[in-house]
């Protein structure tokens, strides 16, 4: 049922979908106490609680825009996107240097890979959804020309590394909570968060450039600005220091458009089999 529904919704104009999404955002916010609590707590932790009302609406837009981004004709979708600083990317491509695109859950992150793939081959790490009904929808949406999928396992990591070494770009979501053994503890907006080590490892292994990218959602359904931002940190030190540099870069990006971050995500959860950080243990024992 989801595929026909998404295809039906994709025929509507983006302003209508975003208006519908804003209403959905408020409906979900008031219907789910756990969702409401996590969003408020995470925004308060980050010091952006004043943007709560806007974030509620933006969260709904991020859901209702998916039929448009995934199922509408790619040329139609691309007409709604403007690229900022693409020359930064093109310079690396022309030099034959690999790129690690880091795309946090900010704005319409689903459109970013599609826009890059219209201009060059891109390999992204893909973890199948837990709900089987979503699998054909998501995989069909991401099976676009020039957009290659690598599984979220060691085989996929090897695929990404090989692609990078050939001077080609890859994409990762740096603010997902990794599975056991795939991360380290690093602070994110002042609180310990289990953080991926993969982006830094890939960049170092492939002698690649890190570029941070996100698609800011414009008001009134006017489309998106896909922004490419140089990574201003360093990857010196151990895995924890590298993860911290990446988290800090994510923070600086998120505060540019705080209402469009995925604040309802359980970014501070402790994965199964991972020992909680010292600060959390101390709080529990107090």
């Amino acid at each position: 049922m989801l595929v026909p529904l998404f295809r039906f919704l994709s025929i509507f104009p983006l302003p209508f979908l975003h208006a519908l999404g804003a209403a959905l955002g408020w409906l979900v916010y008031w219907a789910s106490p756990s969702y409401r609590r996590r969003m408020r707590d995470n925004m308060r932790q980050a010091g952006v609680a004043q943007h709560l009302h806007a974030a509620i609406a933006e969260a709904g837009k991020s859901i209702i825009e998916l039929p448009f981004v995934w199922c509408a004709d790619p040329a139609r979708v691309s007409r709604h996107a403007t690229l900022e600083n693409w020359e930064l990317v093109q310079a690396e491509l022309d030099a034959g240097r690999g790129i690690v695109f880091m795309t946090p859950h900010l704005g319409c992150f689903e459109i970013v890979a599609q826009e890059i793939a219209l201009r060059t081959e891109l390999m992204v790490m893909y973890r199948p959804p837990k709900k089987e009904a979503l699998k054909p929808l998501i995989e069909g949406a991401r099976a676009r020309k020039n957009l290659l999928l690598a599984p979220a396992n060691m085989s996929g990591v090897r695929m990404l590394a090989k692609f990078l070494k050939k001077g080609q770009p890859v994409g990762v979501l740096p603010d997902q909570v990794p599975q056991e053994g795939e991360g380290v503890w690093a602070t994110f907006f002042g609180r310990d968060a289990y953080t991926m080590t993969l982006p830094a490892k890939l960049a170092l292994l492939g002698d690649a450039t890190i570029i941070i990218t996100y698609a800011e959602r414009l008001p009134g359904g006017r489309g998106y600005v896909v922004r490419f931002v140089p990574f201003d940190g360093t990857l010196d030190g151990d895995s924890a220091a590298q993860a911290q540099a990446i988290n800090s870069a994510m923070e600086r990006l998120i505060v540019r458009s705080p209402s469009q971050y995925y604040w309802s995500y359980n970014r501070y959860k402790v994965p199964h089999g991972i020992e909680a950080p010292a600060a959390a243990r101390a709080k529990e024992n107090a």
Side-chain angles (χ1 to χ4, degrees):
M1 288 296 294
L2 279 177
V3 174
L5 175 62
F6 269 53
R7 287 178 177 165
F8 171 71
L9 288 173
S10 73
I11 69 176
F12 290 97
L14 190 60
F16 171 79
L17 293 176
H18 276 178
L20 183 65
L24 175 67
W26 279 99
L27 179 64
V28 173
Y29 181 79
W30 287 114
S32 173
S34 60
Y35 175 94
R36 186 165 63 244
R37 181 173 57 254
R38 183 175 297 138
M39 177 177 276
R40 287 193 307 223
D41 288 349
N42 285 348
M43 293 189 75
R44 190 180 301 115
Q45 177 68 39
V48 295
Q50 68 272 26
H51 298 281
L52 175 63
H53 287 184
I56 293 168
E58 294 295 329
K61 293 178 187 179
S62 72
I63 299 301
I64 297 298
E65 72 191 359
L66 289 178
F68 173 78
V69 175
W70 284 352
C71 300
D73 182 79
R76 178 182 165 218
V77 175
S78 189
R79 286 197 295 271
H80 289 75
T82 302
L83 273 58
E84 180 183 87
N85 283 346
W86 176 257
E87 62 274 12
L88 177 70
V89 179
Q90 192 62 54
E92 298 299 319
L93 294 174
D94 292 344
R97 187 178 177 90
I99 302 170
V100 176
F101 288 109
M102 294 198 306
T103 308
H105 290 83
L106 179 65
C108 183
F109 51 90
E110 286 287 346
I111 203 175
V112 173
Q114 292 187 21
E115 285 302 306
I116 295 171
L118 288 174
R119 294 158 177 84
T120 183
E121 272 196 323
L122 174 70
M123 183 177 290
V124 297
M125 182 161 276
Y126 169 69
R127 180 171 292 157
K130 294 180 180 179
K131 294 185 178 179
E132 194 65 24
L134 291 173
K135 190 173 181 179
L137 179 64
I138 296 176
E139 290 185 352
R142 293 176 178 170
R144 304 290 179 96
K145 180 182 178 182
N146 281 345
L147 188 54
L148 310 175
L149 303 180
N153 53 34
M154 284 308 300
S155 174
V157 172
R158 287 192 291 270
M159 289 171 62
L160 292 171
K162 185 177 179 180
F163 207 64
L164 271 177
K165 288 180 178 179
K166 292 193 297 183
Q168 295 176 288
V170 303
V172 293
L173 292 168
D175 55 345
Q176 276 188 323
V177 177
Q179 296 179 354
E180 180 181 355
E182 298 175 354
V184 293
W185 291 103
T187 59
F188 183 67
F189 286 114
R191 183 176 173 186
D192 288 319
Y194 198 60
T195 302
M196 282 188 178
T197 58
L198 179 61
K201 288 178 179 177
L202 285 173
L204 292 171
L205 184 64
D207 190 25
T209 300
I210 292 178
I211 296 178
I212 309 171
T213 180
Y214 71 109
E216 182 178 353
R217 194 177 296 113
L218 297 176
R222 296 202 307 270
Y224 311 92
V225 178
V226 183
R227 306 189 191 278
F228 298 94
V229 182
F231 174 61
D232 57 1
T234 65
L235 297 182
D236 299 333
D238 58 11
S239 294
Q242 294 163 4
Q244 187 60 64
I246 289 173
N247 276 0
S248 297
M250 294 302 104
E251 292 173 1
R252 290 190 289 273
L253 198 72
I254 290 163
V255 296
R256 293 184 177 192
S257 302
S259 65
Q260 295 192 23
Y261 189 62
Y262 189 25
W263 294 111
S264 60
Y265 181 55
N266 191 4
R267 183 66 184 88
Y268 301 108
K269 69 181 179 181
V270 180
H272 178 73
I274 297 297
E275 187 177 2
R281 294 198 304 273
K283 186 176 181 179
E284 290 176 357
N285 296 330

